[in-house]
Every structure is written in structure tokens, then in C-alpha cells.
């Protein structure tokens, strides 16, 4: 075994875990392969939150069978993450050429499992619970200037449609000082922006300290001197006034919040077990916007949850218009095995759910475009991420509000040279999903 490749599905927590998997594999001497199919070890870090991710994994793992039967039988294929956690050895019924299965709680065991598999020994191990946070493992960061920092794992909320509590377990908070120490060392290592991660970040600390300490943690993280702090995901019922105050008072906290509403009908929100009503959500948004004028808001919305009527769906359209989200991630409901919603019988016909989804997607597009148009003429201090994936002579950057900006530059080298710096960009154009702009001066230092 000399080279590895990792394919990551799903959320930011999985991206973070993949950076740790890369760190672990490099710590035992493996190097990244240029092309996945040429690697000696291929790791799939999986997601089972949505049906499409489940299907994509099985398709991609199945297609690798040809590598092993076509002259490279020693290639090791490992499946970890949520699907590994959920299915364990049962995964081999569908993809028997997989060599290693590990779960969300034992990433640290991967090198040992690979060694066992290379010797032809059983290499399937999943733990019901974990002790250590993956942050304590070595890491290879995808972007040197950005770091994912988990502050909680698991979730105690039990939304009716969600498998996360089953595959990630009960909510556990990392020790306060441990988080702050990690961010301090990341700053010393040149990190400009951190994203604090958890399934429900704003209940951080409840299990460990008896009450949420999220706003205290935000202030302590900002006090390390890190220039930009983001966090995800926030649950509307746990968005406290203390957290809103911290967003208003601490300059390093970026003026952007992802606050999943999921639906606009109180009846469906109750069936989803979300723990808030539409009016309670709206009142938090009002308090947030009063405290942080100009804050950008994004959300998640599910269409076609069991029992959703035309009236319920109209309530979703209304709330999306009322809030005027800057962006929304929209999904058609798909049942996940073992969840309460999967046992609900009043499902919405697929064609009807698709028709509702298309109407919602059109509204989201219009609102997103309108929000971006309002930015034209503004100058924003943007974190430059490097060349755009589609065009190397275009630089990609993020405004404080998390809007993507494309800026033409002289050469790919110019984009690379600026990557990881913060620069003023004047916004010159708007599209539904991104802005265009021009560099408005030299790189800036933020207060
Ligand atoms: S808050 Fe709900 S949707 Fe989010 S992870 Fe927890 S159970 Fe799943």
C-alpha cells in the first residue's frame, strides 16, 4: 500500500472527517494518488441522510469491482461514515468486494483495519458510541487557510425524518478549552477562517455543562485572533438571544446564518418534531435582523413530507417569501429506513412533490437573484479561495455574508497567489447563485 484516494459524500462534518482520514493515512506513509482509480487504498466516506447519496455510493463502489477483477486484486476498498455505521457487515451483501467497513466513531482504527485486510483478515468494525473527537487525529487540510472544527457530534433532537441520531449517536460536546486550544494552534498555523461544526451547534455544552455555552464559546474562539468564524448547523429552537448578541458584537463572527426552517406549515413542523412554530421562527429572524442588519440567511426546506397538502405547501411558499431568504437548499422528501416518518402512510405522490419542488425552486432562484442584485456597487472584504473550478483565470472569493464572487484575473498564478488572503472586492454583477466583481485595492486587514 503506497497511495490513497478519498471520496467524500454529504455534509461538512464528513469533509472534516475526510481531512482526518487523509492525515491518518499519511501518518502511516501513504501518499495521495492523482487519480482515484490508480490508488492502492480507496476510501469512501459516506452519507445516508438522503437517498441519492446512498445510491451514488453503491453505484461508485460497484463500478470499482472491475479494478480488482481486472488485474489489481490487492487494491483495498474501505467504506466508512454514516453508511458504514448504519450497515456494518450487511453492506457486503450489496458490495462484496469491499475490504474494510468502519463507522463514524472509529475513524482512528482505519490504518489497523487496512493492515488486517491486506493480510486477508476480517476488517469490519463499527462502534455504537465513540469517546474521542476526530479533531484529536492528524489532519491534511484541503485549504491551508481554512479549518473545520467540530464542537459537538450527534444529536438529541430526533426530527421524524432524520437518521443522524441513529448514525452519529446522542449529542456530545467537546470540552470548551479543547476547542479554544485547537483554534489557537490553527491560527498559529496560518488559518484565517474556522467553521465550527455540529449537528446542532447552538445547544453546545448542554450535555457537558448543564446549559448551552455556545455564545461563550463563540466569543472565546474569536478572542484567539482568528479573523473569520462561521458555524453550522443552527437549530431555530436553540437560537438564543445571547448568540444573537454575540453575532452583533463580535466582528470576527461573519454576518451569515444557516437556519433550517424545513417547512412553513405548523401542522407539518409538528409532524416533523421540529420543536418550533412558523411564528416562533419568524420572531427569531426579526430579532436577528434587528441586531445584525444585513445578515444573510439561508435555510433548508423539505417538500412532499407525508401528509403535506396544497395548503401546507402554500404555507412554505409564504414563509419563504416573508423571510426573503438569501439562499435556500431544497429537497424532495425521501423516507429513510428506521425513522418515524418512514412509517407514515400518507405519502405525497412523486409527481406532485416534484411539481411543488419546481415552484419552490423558482421562488428561491428569484429571491436569491434579488438578494445578489442588492449587492451591486458594494465593496466587501472577501476571503479569496483561489481559482474557480470551472475557469482558472477567474478567482473565487466569499463575502462575509458567504456569497460567492467571481473575479477575472490576469492568470491562474495571480489567483493562486491571492488564495487565503482577504481583499476588498467591488461587486459589479449579480447572477442567481453568484456575484461578479473586481479587486478594489490591496489585500485588507480586518478589524
Ligand atoms: S436537528 Fe433534526 S435534522 Fe438536524 S441532525 Fe438533529 S435530528 Fe437530524
Amino acid at each position: 500500500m503506497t497511495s490513497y484516494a478519498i471520496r467524500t459524500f454529504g455534509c461538512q462534518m464528513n469533509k472534516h472527517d475526510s481531512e482526518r482520514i487523509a492525515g491518518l493515512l499519511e501518518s502511516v506513509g501513504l501518499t495521495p494518488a492523482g487519480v482515484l482509480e490508480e490508488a492502492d487504498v480507496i476510501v469512501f466516506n459516506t452519507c445516508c441522510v438522503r437517498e441519492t447519496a446512498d445510491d451514488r455510493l453503491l453505484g461508485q463502489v460497484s463500478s470499482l469491482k472491475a479494478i480488482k477483477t481486472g488485474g489489481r486484486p490487492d487494491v483495498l476498498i474501505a467504506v466508512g461514515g454514516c453508511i458504514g455505521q448504519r450497515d456494518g457487515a450487511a453492506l457486503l451483501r450489496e458490495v462484496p468486494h469491499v475490504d474494510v467497513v468502519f463507522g463514524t466513531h472509529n475513524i482512528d482504527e482505519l490504518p489497523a483495519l487496512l493492515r488486517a485486510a491486506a493480510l486477508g483478515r476480517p476488517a469490519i468494525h463499527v462502534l455504537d458510541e465513540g469517546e474521542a473527537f476526530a479533531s484529536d487525529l492528524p489532519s491534511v487540510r484541503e485549504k491551508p487557510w481554512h479549518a473545520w472544527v467540530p464542537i459537538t457530534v450527534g444529536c438529541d433532537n430526533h426530527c421524524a425524518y432524520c437518521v443522524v441520531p441513529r448514525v452519529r449517536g446522542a449529542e456530545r460536546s467537546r470540552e470548551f478549552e479543547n476547542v479554544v486550544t485547537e483554534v489557537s494552534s490553527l491560527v498559529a498555523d496560518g488559518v484565517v477562517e474556522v467553521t465550527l461544526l455540529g449537528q446542532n451547534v447552538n445547544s453546545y455544552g448542554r450535555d457537558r455543562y448543564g446549559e448551552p455555552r455556545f455564545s461563550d464559546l463563540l466569543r472565546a474562539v474569536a478572542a484567539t485572533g482568528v479573523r473569520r468564524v462561521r458555524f453550522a448547523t443552527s437549530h431555530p429552537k436553540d437560537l438564543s438571544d445571547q448568540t444573537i448578541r454575540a453575532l452583533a458584537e463580535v466582528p470576527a463572527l461573519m454576518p451569515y446564518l444557516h437556519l433550517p426552517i424545513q417547512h412553513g406549515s405548523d401542522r407539518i413542523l409538528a409532524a416533523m418534531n421540529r420543536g418550533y412554530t412558523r411564528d416562533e421562527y419568524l420572531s427569531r429572524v426579526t430579532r436577528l435582523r434587528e441586531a445584525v442588519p444585513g445578515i444573510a440567511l439561508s435555510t433548508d426546506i423539505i417538500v412532499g413530507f407525508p401528509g403535506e397538502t396544497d395548503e401546507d405547501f402554500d404555507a412554505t411558499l409564504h414563509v419563504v417569501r416573508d423571510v426573503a431568504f438569501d439562499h435556500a437548499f431544497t429537497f424532495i422528501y425521501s423516507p429513510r429506513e428506521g425513522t418515524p416518518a418512514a412509517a407514515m402512510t400518507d405519502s405525497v405522490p412523486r409527481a406532485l412533490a416534484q411539481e411543488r419542488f419546481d415552484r419552490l425552486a423558482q421562488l428561491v432562484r428569484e429571491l436569491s437573484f434579488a438578494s445578489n442584485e442588492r449587492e451591486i456597487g458594494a465593496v466587501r472584504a472577501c476571503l479569496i479561495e483561489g481559482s474557480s473550478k470551472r475557469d482558472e483565470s477567474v478567482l473565487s472569493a466569499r463575502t462575509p455574508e458567504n456569497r460567492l464572487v467571481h473575479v477575472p484575473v490576469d492568470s491562474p498564478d495571480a489567483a493562486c497567489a491571492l488564495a487565503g488572503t482577504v481583499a476588498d472586492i467591488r461587486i459589479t454583477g449579480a447572477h442567481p447563485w453568484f456575484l461578479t466583481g473586481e479587486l478594489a485595492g490591496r489585500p485588507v486587514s480586518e478589524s
Side-chain angles (χ1 to χ4, degrees):
M1 296 189 290
T2 62
S3 65
Y4 74 91
I6 302 170
R7 183 136 300 168
T8 308
F9 297 81
C11 64
Q12 292 153 329
M13 190 69 88
N14 273 15
K15 287 184 189 166
H16 163 269
D17 287 352
S18 287
E19 291 186 348
R20 303 291 154 168
I21 290 169
L24 270 174
L25 297 180
E26 296 199 12
S27 74
V28 294
L30 274 68
T31 54
V35 180
L36 180 123
E37 288 76 9
E38 291 172 3
D40 301 314
V41 172
I42 302 172
V43 183
F44 289 89
N45 188 15
T46 64
C47 169
C48 61
V49 169
R50 307 205 185 279
E51 202 174 12
T52 43
D54 232 330
D55 293 345
R56 274 173 60 214
L57 169 82
L58 291 178
Q60 292 195 17
V61 174
S62 299
S63 72
L64 291 181
K65 190 176 175 188
I67 294 182
K68 297 185 72 137
T69 54
R72 296 182 63 214
D74 295 339
V75 169
L76 295 177
I77 300 175
V79 176
C82 297
I83 293 180
Q85 182 71 32
R86 183 193 64 188
D87 293 353
L91 189 65
L92 300 188
R93 284 204 291 269
E94 298 211 53
V95 277
H97 56 290
V98 165
D99 304 281
V100 173
V101 180
F102 61 107
T104 53
H105 302 302
N106 63 332
I107 288 173
D108 56 321
E109 290 183 28
L110 179 59
L113 290 169
L114 288 168
R115 275 195 297 275
L119 295 170
R121 295 189 191 134
I124 295 166
H125 194 217
V126 172
L127 297 174
D128 288 342
E129 289 183 358
E131 286 303 317
F133 275 81
S135 274
D136 300 328
L137 303 173
S139 169
V140 176
R141 285 197 305 277
E142 191 186 333
K143 299 169 187 164
W145 63 88
H146 174 268
W148 309 105
V149 179
I151 61 169
T152 66
V153 291
C155 184
D156 290 342
N157 282 322
H158 299 281
C159 299
Y161 51 82
C162 182
V163 290
V164 166
R166 189 173 146 208
V167 292
R168 292 275 180 182
E171 185 171 301
R172 284 183 302 122
S173 301
R174 245 175 113 187
E175 198 194 325
F176 195 97
E177 287 308 326
N178 195 331
V179 176
V180 176
T181 302
E182 183 186 352
V183 176
S184 294
S185 61
L186 289 167
V187 172
D189 199 30
V191 165
V192 176
E193 179 178 276
V194 296
T195 305
L196 307 180
L197 289 181
Q199 263 78 37
N200 183 12
V201 282
N202 43 9
S203 62
Y204 166 81
R206 190 156 43 203
D207 58 315
R208 185 178 277 273
Y209 305 104
E211 59 180 26
R213 291 192 61 191
F214 184 54
S215 58
D216 297 342
L217 185 70
L218 287 175
R219 290 175 188 274
V221 163
T224 62
V226 65
R227 287 170 77 174
R228 296 187 162 211
V229 181
R230 299 185 187 276
F231 52 87
T233 296
S234 301
H235 196 297
K237 75 176 168 52
D238 294 315
L239 178 63
S240 67
D241 286 341
Q242 290 92 323
T243 296
I244 292 174
R245 228 176 4 256
L247 278 163
E249 292 172 0
V250 180
L253 298 180
M254 293 293 98
Y256 163 70
L257 188 67
H258 183 66
L259 196 63
I261 187 168
Q262 304 298 8
H263 212 278
S265 154
D266 285 347
R267 202 178 66 78
I268 298 291
L269 285 172
M272 288 177 163
N273 194 29
R274 287 291 290 170
Y276 53 86
T277 63
R278 169 190 174 278
D279 284 353
E280 285 164 351
Y281 184 95
L282 289 175
S283 117
R284 284 179 176 85
V285 167
T286 302
R287 293 210 297 277
L288 191 61
R289 284 184 166 152
E290 280 170 4
V292 194
I295 190 169
L297 272 181
S298 64
T299 198
D300 294 334
I301 304 166
I302 296 172
V303 175
F305 189 78
E308 182 189 76
T309 62
D310 284 343
E311 204 179 17
D312 293 322
F313 177 65
D314 284 346
T316 290
L317 292 178
H318 273 121
V319 83
V320 169
R321 257 190 225 105
D322 285 351
V323 177
F325 289 105
D326 298 280
H327 186 58
F329 301 90
T330 52
F331 308 93
I332 293 181
Y333 168 76
S334 65
R336 308 311 289 138
E337 202 183 314
T339 61
M344 295 178 183
T345 50
D346 42 358
S347 57
V348 174
R350 176 75 199 191
L352 179 57
Q354 183 68 53
E355 186 259 327
R356 289 175 182 165
F357 176 87
D358 293 344
R359 285 168 60 202
L360 176 63
Q362 178 59 28
L363 175 60
V364 166
R365 184 185 168 89
E366 286 166 18
L367 291 171
S368 191
F369 186 39
S371 160
N372 281 346
E373 275 193 309
R374 289 193 290 274
E375 286 293 291
I376 293 176
V379 174
R380 301 286 182 222
C382 298
L383 178 57
I384 295 177
E385 298 182 336
S387 293
S388 150
K389 284 182 190 141
R390 294 205 176 147
D391 183 348
E392 288 196 330
S393 59
V394 169
L395 165 161
S396 287
R398 290 273 166 189
T399 70
E401 297 80 11
N402 208 34
R403 293 185 175 94
L404 176 65
V405 193
H406 286 163
V407 179
V409 283
D410 295 338
S411 68
D413 288 349
C416 284
L418 288 170
T421 63
V422 176
D424 275 346
I425 292 177
R426 181 174 295 103
I427 308 304
T428 55
H431 299 258
W433 313 130
F434 67 95
L435 301 163
T436 53
E438 59 192 17
L439 289 170
R442 300 162 82 78
V444 294
S445 65
E446 293 175 307
S447 58

